[in-house]
Amino acid sequence: MTLNDALRRAQVRRTMLESGVASILTLTNALRANSAMIREAATGALQQTGDVRSASILVDVLHDPEESVRRAAAVELAKFKWQPGTEAEQAAQVVALGRWEAAVKLGSSAVDALIHCAQRSCPATQVRAIQCLAEIKNVRALQPLQELLSAPDRFVRQAAARALKSLEWVPTDNAQAVGHAIELEDWTMAAALGRESVPPLAAALKEAHGNPARRAAIIGALCSIREGASARALTALCRDGEVAAAAVRALSNLLEHQPENISVDALAEIAALQNVVQFQFTIDPQHQRPTRSGLEFIDIDGLRARAKAELGRRSPAPAGAAAP
């Protein structure tokens, strides 16, 4: 939270108190506002009324969808010297305060609060909540952790993958298995599923600009795929300027090691490739984001020649030709 945000929240809280509208009912209604800033300000105003009824209202706020509002409610409850009636209430408060060791000690009583936190917080807090779930090892966390494998933030996905591994989770299909392996950075397993590995590995490669070691590992995984059926997926990526160079390398390796397993249609597509371009990127120092800075034409003559040679090898001999 910035200083400006803090000042705005304080001003809203002061206005609530000084305007004479800070009744319990009014402030309770404010806790249902769409604005997180208003909800957070209302938690402080409730405590400042000094009305002991406010404590029971703030307990419900510990389940607010916004992390800052939950934390504000937990802080105000501490000022009331509130004592939780159940371990679940205690867990909701300690999780909102980021007291992770205390949450783990509460065990299964903290699972619901930690799941809520893992789903509705900033990435850094999500990671800590997920790590706590991994320590507690309660099966109620399995489904939410599976969903977090698709989280926008890579570090959240990785934390979820590690937590699922600690819970001995078994993926239900190949797509889940590939996604799980990528987040665990188990590149051998990620590549083992062949064609189904190609799109998620390509997506991971696009995310890895600015991380040379991770890019090299992902490219190595793509280049280790040996399933002939993956050729068409790799050929399609040759038209994607973000990953074209890696796709050409992977296809070259596949043609070198498993040419007989690539279909005629896929070979024809490879032979017909033209003007393969790889975009070049630099990292914007201000925003730490990749910015396209140029392009490079990829030499595919050798790749096309191999595909054509394999097609020629499979072509039937002309009528009347002498048998070898």
Side-chain angles (χ1 to χ4, degrees), residues 152-182:
D153 186 85
R154 176 166 66 91
F155 296 104
V156 173
R157 297 196 302 270
Q158 289 180 335
R162 289 191 288 268
L164 286 167
K165 183 177 181 180
S166 75
L167 286 164
E168 300 182 353
W169 172 71
V170 177
T172 58
D173 55 42
N174 288 346
Q176 279 189 345
V178 172
H180 191 221
I182 287 173

Side-chain angles (χ1 to χ4, degrees), residues 232-246:
R232 301 192 81 169
L234 289 167
T235 303
L237 291 178
C238 292
R239 302 180 183 92
D240 185 335
E242 288 193 69
V243 295

